[in-house]
Amino acid sequence: MAYPTPTRVGAAVLASQSVSLLGFRYAAVRFTQSVPSGLVSLDIPSKRRHLLCQAASNIAPEQDVLSPSPPPPQETAVVSSSHSHSTTPKQQGRDPAIVRQQRLDRRRQQTTYQIAAIAASSFIVATAILATWYRIMLHLDNGEAFPYIDLALTLLLAAGGMVGMEMYARFAHKILWHDNKLGYAIHKSHHVPRVGAFEANDIYAVMNAVPAVLLCGYGFLRPDMIGGMCFGAGLGISLFGMSYLFIHDGLVHKRFPVGPLADVPELRRIAIAHQIHHTDKFGGVPYGMFLGPQEIEAVGGKEDLDRLVAARANVKTDSAR
């Protein structure tokens, strides 16, 4: 059958999901690079993260995990009521007006990128809903009964795609990106300080977007149950990628601000579990993302994880005072 032009347009819109996501990723990391060094620096959460992970491996449970060895004399960490930043002797002599203006500019940039994050997510979700509705309308326009089975398979495969991607991420992260020499040659850029807006490891995000675009496009253009299943699987991969972007790149690695997501206890626990991965304390576990806490617990790390979560909660409480 000849598909109407709106269908082809809809498929093109679906394909634009990945373009939108990658565009937001670029804007977000560019923002991270544009922040003046030393002023409300995004590196300070990373230092605190390293401190907390060190607490899990080096400090006894009864010790204060927020009491590390004395900091080097050339730098003093300062925690304010709403932001964490570092101040060096060089910065202490700067014009206070310039410092205030730069902090104000950064807050404006944070607000801008929080809006961009919400807009990008809303666009992807709205596009998925619209495309699903349009697929159903194609059935009804052809005089067919409402495709309940088709819709059920789409939703089932969307949920299955998200869960399946978590399992795939765990497998790919360990077997393909760490244990494989070629894969680690690229992934290593994620385990060293990033220079510039991107890291070589970002190529894996692009590679994972390809099957999502292909499945969504093919499933959208094929008006039967197989098409519905492919379409649902593509949606599941897309939604997983969107969630991974916010939690991994935003919440864990601070490549852009995530706003209220940082205050969700379960997401903080997931983020801290991934931070433990970067310490190699449990041989690199967890390799997954959203089930990372369960991976940690499975290798006997529940006590360490609980202590780090409690320490992070104490830091947030002290900062809010």
Side-chain angles (χ1 to χ4, degrees):
M1 69 180 279
Y3 296 105
T5 300
T7 305
R8 293 175 182 153
V9 173
V13 172
L14 267 178
S16 71
Q17 290 182 37
S18 295
V19 176
S20 171
L21 205 56
L22 292 174
F24 170 67
R25 185 190 188 100
Y26 172 77
V29 296
R30 288 296 298 172
F31 156 69
T32 301
Q33 295 300 316
S34 70
V35 177
S37 61
L39 289 175
V40 201
S41 173
L42 291 179
D43 289 334
I44 289 301
S46 298
K47 293 177 181 177
R48 184 187 301 143
R49 178 168 65 250
H50 175 70
L51 166 62
L52 293 175
C53 290
Q54 285 287 83
S57 57
N58 300 332
I59 300 179
E62 63 274 9
Q63 276 188 274
D64 180 4
V65 296
L66 298 180
S67 298
S69 57
Q74 68 271 18
E75 182 173 330
T76 302
V78 179
V79 178
S80 69
S81 60
S82 57
H83 297 283
S84 297
H85 59 280
S86 61
T87 304
T88 65
K90 180 179 178 180
Q91 293 161 3
Q92 289 175 354
R94 300 188 64 172
D95 186 342
I98 295 177
V99 173
R100 283 195 300 270
Q101 183 60 45
Q102 289 176 322
R103 289 177 181 172
L104 181 62
D105 290 343
R106 181 178 182 274
R107 291 192 188 101
R108 274 199 294 262
Q109 289 174 325
Q110 281 189 320
T111 301
T112 298
Y113 282 93
Q114 286 173 359
I115 294 173
I118 294 172
S121 301
S122 299
F123 171 78
I124 293 175
V125 173
T127 301
I129 294 173
L130 178 63
T132 303
W133 172 82
Y134 192 79
R135 277 194 87 255
I136 294 175
M137 290 302 102
L138 285 179
H139 285 274
L140 300 181
D141 289 344
N142 292 332
E144 302 175 19
F146 189 89
Y148 290 104
I149 297 179
D150 193 320
L151 177 60
L153 289 174
T154 296
L155 297 177
L156 180 63
L157 265 294
M162 294 188 69
V163 175
M165 280 301 294
E166 171 68 16
M167 299 299 104
Y168 165 77
R170 184 184 300 184
F171 163 79
H173 194 180
K174 184 180 190 304
I175 304 300
L176 302 181
W177 303 349
H178 274 267
D179 295 349
N180 181 276
K181 290 184 179 180
L182 179 60
Y184 188 70
I186 298 174
H187 184 63
K188 182 180 179 181
S189 64
H190 183 58
H191 286 265
V192 297
R194 185 173 63 255
V195 177
F198 292 101
E199 57 193 36
N201 187 68
D202 290 338
I203 191 64
Y204 289 131
V206 179
M207 292 170 59
N208 290 335
V210 173
V213 172
L214 295 178
L215 285 168
C216 283
Y218 177 75
F220 190 88
L221 292 172
R222 178 165 177 162
D224 59 12
M225 287 191 294
I226 294 179
M229 294 171 67
C230 291
F231 182 70
L235 288 182
I237 296 174
S238 299
L239 293 174
F240 177 88
M242 179 184 71
S243 303
Y244 193 95
L245 172 70
F246 278 88
I247 303 306
H248 179 264
D249 286 16
L251 182 58
V252 178
H253 294 295
K254 313 297 181 186
R255 295 180 76 170
F256 57 89
V258 295
L261 289 182
D263 297 324
V264 179
E266 187 57 36
L267 294 183
R268 287 205 306 268
R269 188 175 182 85
I270 290 171
I272 292 174
H274 184 75
Q275 290 160 7
I276 292 177
H277 162 73
H278 283 266
T279 70
D280 287 328
K281 178 174 173 59
F282 297 102
V285 173
Y287 288 100
M289 172 55 63
F290 298 101
L291 298 180
Q294 286 79 358
E295 286 188 68
I296 290 285
E297 294 172 7
V299 295
K302 184 178 185 302
E303 181 180 346
D304 297 82
L305 179 59
D306 289 342
R307 185 162 66 251
L308 293 178
V309 171
R312 176 62 58 85
N314 291 337
V315 169
K316 291 185 68 66
T317 300
D318 292 341
S319 299
R321 290 174 181 174

